[in-house]
Amino acid sequence: RDGDDPLAEREANLRNRLLKDIPAVVSHTDGKLEAILITGDLARSGKSAEYDVARGWLDELCALVGLHHTSILMCPGNHDVDRDALDVPRQMVNHNLRECPTNLVDARVDELLRDPDFLLAPLEAYQEFAARCACDADKRLAWELEEPIRFGDGYGLAIRGASTVINSDRHDGEGTMAVQTNQMIVKEQRGVIHMLLMHHGPSFWRNPKPAPADLDNNIVLYGHT
């Protein structure tokens, strides 16, 4: 939020408190962090100025815990959608994705991905912000770490972020969000655990099947609720 918002001071105080609390949390680990995971809603209304605030705070956080900003991994939330970018054609698309038969959602999204700039236009400021961390959505509406984070005993953690907000607008609610199956499909690998970051849980999806676990995702972190 910007400085003119009545909640801006309260939110700034919360962010400052987090910075004070985090060293104590880190002290209970071996002192080494691998990544910062954010499951959406980095902004309030998807505006560039809001991401300037987020960037400044996250840079402070990275400096505090000894991470580079490329270790911030994220997915978009509904507050990362700039509703001012939802012109009439886009509102019609969103309505169609909410109302078409659930078995056609994947195909309709595939059609829209022929023009990804149109589909992702309401997330333009978020995409620019997320690109700094290589977390901007591509034509799969998702991203994935190039290499798993390696742990002991030969195990690795593969992390992917996926969008649940491609048709987000003022009509959001349970059973309204178009989530494409392709966003969740992972390649099973020996010794690799798959983590998926998403904003909305399955109760918000047009079609909650297949579930992420059915597509070999071992861990899913949701942010909306």
Side-chain angles (χ1 to χ4, degrees):
R1 298 174 186 270
D2 60 38
D4 295 329
D5 190 300
L7 295 179
E9 182 177 358
R10 187 181 76 177
E11 292 184 346
N13 288 337
L14 288 171
R15 290 194 298 271
N16 291 337
R17 184 58 191 240
L18 279 170
L19 292 176
K20 291 180 180 178
D21 289 346
I22 284 172
V25 175
V26 175
S27 71
H28 292 295
T29 72
D30 61 4
K32 183 177 184 297
L33 302 187
E34 299 288 349
I36 297 167
L37 310 180
I38 306 175
T39 49
D41 284 355
L42 288 97
R44 177 63 183 174
S45 55
K47 304 297 185 185
S48 295
E50 297 168 343
Y51 293 107
D52 291 339
V53 175
R55 182 179 295 107
W57 186 81
L58 287 169
D59 284 347
E60 284 189 72
L61 175 58
C62 285
L64 183 65
V65 298
L67 290 177
H68 191 263
H69 66 256
T70 53
S71 295
I72 303 170
L73 307 177
M74 69 191 79
C75 64
N78 52 292
H79 284 284
D80 294 305
V81 175
D82 182 357
R83 292 187 180 178
D84 291 337
L86 296 173
D87 56 14
V88 173
R90 189 48 198 275
Q91 291 174 36
M92 294 174 63
V93 165
N94 285 3
H95 176 77
N96 180 271
L97 289 173
R98 282 194 302 274
E99 300 297 331
C100 72
T102 55
N103 65 311
L104 295 182
V105 170
D106 280 3
R108 293 285 170 85
V109 175
D110 277 337
E111 292 172 5
L112 290 165
L113 282 171
R114 295 173 184 171
D115 186 359
D117 291 339
F118 171 75
L119 186 61
L120 294 170
L123 286 167
E124 182 178 358
Y126 168 84
Q127 285 281 89
E128 182 178 343
F129 177 82
R132 182 174 182 244
C133 307
C135 293
D136 48 324
D138 60 16
K139 287 191 176 183
R140 295 173 303 159
L141 301 174
W143 58 264
E144 191 162 16
L145 286 182
E146 290 187 6
E147 294 291 336
I149 296 173
R150 291 295 170 184
F151 297 108
D153 299 322
Y155 280 91
L157 179 67
I159 303 177
R160 170 183 285 215
S163 174
T164 63
V165 298
I166 57 172
N167 66 325
S168 177
D169 56 26
R170 64 186 179 87
H171 299 290
D172 289 357
E174 292 201 358
T176 66
M177 316 305 287
V179 177
Q180 193 185 44
T181 305
N182 286 346
Q183 298 172 254
M184 300 182 287
I185 295 175
V186 298
K187 181 180 180 181
E188 193 171 7
Q189 304 171 63
R190 183 181 180 88
V192 174
I193 298 167
H194 291 275
M195 175 186 284
L196 181 64
L197 310 180
M198 305 183 87
H199 189 62
H200 295 88
S203 67
F204 287 89
W205 303 355
R206 289 293 325 278
N207 188 359
K209 298 292 184 180
D214 297 330
L215 301 171
D216 296 319
N217 292 283
N218 307 104
I219 306 167
V220 188
L221 301 183
Y222 299 111
H224 189 75
T225 52

